[in-house]
Amino acid sequence: NDHISLLDLLATGEEGVFGLIIDAHNAKRHRDLIAESRRRDLDVILDTKILQMGFPGALTKALSMLPWGLERHHYVTDFEGAAGEKRASQIVEATIADGFTQLLGPTHLLTSVKDPWLRRDIGMMVRTASEIARNGKEKELKLIYPLVVPMSLLRNASERRAIITAIGDAPCSAIWLKIENFGDDATGEKFAAYIEACRDFHECGLPLIGDQVGGLPGLGALAFGAVGGIAHGVTIQQGFHASSWRRPAVAGSGFTPSRRVYVPQMDMLLESKAAEKLFAASPRVKAMCGCKDTHCCPRGVRDMPDTVG
């Protein structure tokens, strides 16, 4: 019932929803959600978590237990030759078995056009596409290229275009652009650089999705036609930062997020005090930005500060 309520909410929302992203280690737990999404003609996209598994500080026990996981983080050599073919086979097999309609290909964070991961990722995209074809699922299962680069590389026009040329060899139905140090907290200058960079990607002739881009930058990227869609969680994963992943995890080093208030009209999470100042600005602002969903905020604005982001 919780799954059905969630899908009803998404289907009747103001923003169009074309699919849900499910993490590979949660696929079995969300079996009912996947089935219900398929029944409603929503795409269900598998995130293999390959990106995360390439960092020493991001690997978890659950990820290690995936068919393509290891007790340590991945190295480039883990995707060469027979090892790469085996992982491609395991990924496609799991994708088909769990009923997904789209697959985020096995790619990694690039540091430059000379990064050894680039050619390895392109090779894995080719292997994955071949496995999909071998299983006769070319029409039912679409392969997405997740291109993950830091903001500094995206700004570099020559390197950006070189990478775009290189990934032209990779079979895919869409490109999902995930930019490190860019998201809902981006400055206006960063946002302008992002839009300019996206123009080059349009030359690929493929749908371009801004991954983990929320808030005003996400809405702005849509409004200016920089991307054809955005992907992010419900008040989470609206920006991408990998700095903590680069360091080995330390036991007991986790933290609890501070309380925040979600303002749907702005697609932003605000600190409680900032939200209170916003609502106090004028009756018009309060009426425009106040939550109108009586299920979560029956008293409107008065209940919104109690909403945890």
Side-chain angles (χ1 to χ4, degrees):
N1 289 336
D2 289 341
H3 290 157
I4 294 174
S5 297
L6 171 63
L7 294 172
D8 283 337
L9 176 63
L10 293 175
T12 57
E14 295 180 1
E15 297 181 20
V17 176
F18 71 89
L20 301 177
I21 306 169
I22 305 291
D23 293 341
H25 58 294
N26 291 326
K28 302 301 181 186
R29 180 159 64 93
H30 291 314
R31 191 174 297 165
D32 292 342
L33 176 59
I34 294 171
E36 187 63 26
S37 299
R38 292 291 304 275
R39 191 180 71 81
R40 293 167 182 249
D41 294 324
L42 288 172
D43 276 311
V44 191
I45 305 156
L46 175 67
D47 183 353
T48 63
K49 308 304 288 183
I50 287 289
L51 169 65
Q52 188 171 334
M53 295 164 77
F55 291 90
L59 186 65
T60 65
K61 183 177 180 181
L63 296 184
S64 294
M65 294 176 65
L66 290 171
W68 48 91
L70 296 170
E71 292 184 359
R72 56 164 173 79
H73 68 282
H74 285 153
Y75 300 144
V76 173
T77 52
D78 294 321
F79 296 86
E80 294 178 346
E85 292 176 2
K86 180 180 179 180
R87 285 192 168 78
S89 176
Q90 291 170 328
I91 289 170
V92 172
E93 181 180 342
T95 306
I96 295 172
D98 291 327
F100 289 92
T101 63
Q102 297 191 31
L103 167 63
L104 291 174
T107 64
H108 300 80
L109 175 64
L110 306 176
T111 56
S112 74
V113 71
K114 297 180 180 179
D115 194 312
W117 276 119
L118 178 56
R119 275 295 157 194
R120 204 66 74 243
D121 289 348
I122 293 171
M124 282 299 295
M125 290 292 291
V126 172
R127 289 188 178 111
T128 304
S130 296
E131 279 296 319
I132 293 174
R134 190 177 67 82
N135 284 273
K137 297 293 182 178
E138 302 99 317
K139 294 182 179 180
E140 298 97 326
L141 180 58
K142 302 301 182 183
L143 181 60
I144 299 166
Y145 194 114
L147 181 62
V148 191
V149 298
M151 189 67 196
S152 57
L153 191 156
L154 189 74
R155 291 177 184 270
N156 188 316
S158 59
E159 290 235 332
R160 179 176 72 238
R161 289 167 186 152
I163 286 179
I164 291 172
T165 299
I167 66 174
D169 297 334
C172 62
S173 61
I175 297 173
W176 282 35
L177 191 61
K178 180 182 290 188
I179 306 301
E180 184 181 14
N181 301 321
F182 181 82
D184 58 352
D185 58 350
T187 62
E189 186 271 335
K190 269 190 179 181
F191 174 59
Y194 181 85
I195 291 179
E196 181 180 355
C198 286
R199 292 173 180 166
D200 288 343
F201 285 93
H202 292 174
E203 296 176 6
C204 297
L206 293 169
L208 183 65
I209 304 298
D211 194 9
Q212 289 195 206
V213 182
L216 294 180
L219 296 177
L222 286 171
F224 283 102
V227 295
I230 54 176
H232 59 74
V234 180
T235 77
I236 60 173
Q237 295 182 336
Q238 298 191 92
F240 175 56
H241 305 278
S243 56
S244 62
W245 289 1
R246 293 183 170 91
R247 299 184 299 272
V250 178
S253 61
F255 66 94
T256 301
S258 60
R259 295 175 68 87
R260 297 175 295 171
V261 179
Y262 180 59
V263 182
Q265 290 76 7
M266 301 168 64
D267 193 21
M268 290 182 68
L269 285 164
L270 300 177
E271 298 292 339
S272 295
K273 290 184 178 179
E276 290 173 1
K277 289 181 179 179
L278 174 68
F279 300 142
S282 73
R284 182 178 180 182
V285 171
K286 181 186 290 187
M288 183 183 299
C289 297
C291 180
K292 299 176 178 60
D293 187 341
T294 57
H295 291 91
C296 66
C297 300
R299 298 179 300 170
V301 170
R302 284 183 292 173
D303 285 332
M304 288 183 71
D306 294 327
T307 303
V308 179

